[in-house]
Amino acid sequence: MTTSSAPEPISVPIRVLLPGDQEVVAHLWSRRQLRDGWLYEVGPRAYRNGPGDSVEPAEYRVWVRVPQHVRPVEGVSYDASVSSPSVLPSEPHA
């Protein structure tokens, strides 16, 4: 088994807009700049089934578009959020 020596990036809270006009506070883990905007990797909290009949906390990470799917949390600075250094294409190339 291989383990990574790199520390997990520090997350900051961000509001994520969900389908059905729901909004949750999630973790912002990283950002990527595309030619046509930004993507944020966010981790909304949820639950998952554990061993037996247990239920445990979980985080589901997903890339979402800015500003369509996220809003800032008042009083939080996003200056230290990890960003990719280069501009990526908006569509993957085959």
Side-chain angles (χ1 to χ4, degrees), residues 4 21 26-27 31 35 43 52 57 59 64 67 82 87-88:
S4 172
D21 296 326
H27 294 184
R31 306 183 290 185
R35 293 190 202 292
E59 183 177 79
V64 295
V82 176
V87 176
L88 302 172

Side-chain angles (χ1 to χ4, degrees), residues 37-74:
W38 283 87
L39 290 177
Y40 281 11
E41 182 186 25
V42 298
R45 293 298 198 120
Y47 290 102
R48 67 175 171 212
N49 295 114
D53 292 332
S54 69
V55 176
E56 54 192 30
E59 183 177 79
Y60 177 74
R61 291 192 188 180
V62 61
W63 288 96
V64 295
R65 290 206 168 266
V66 178
Q68 297 94 324
H69 302 118
V70 293
R71 300 286 183 270
V73 171
E74 188 175 329

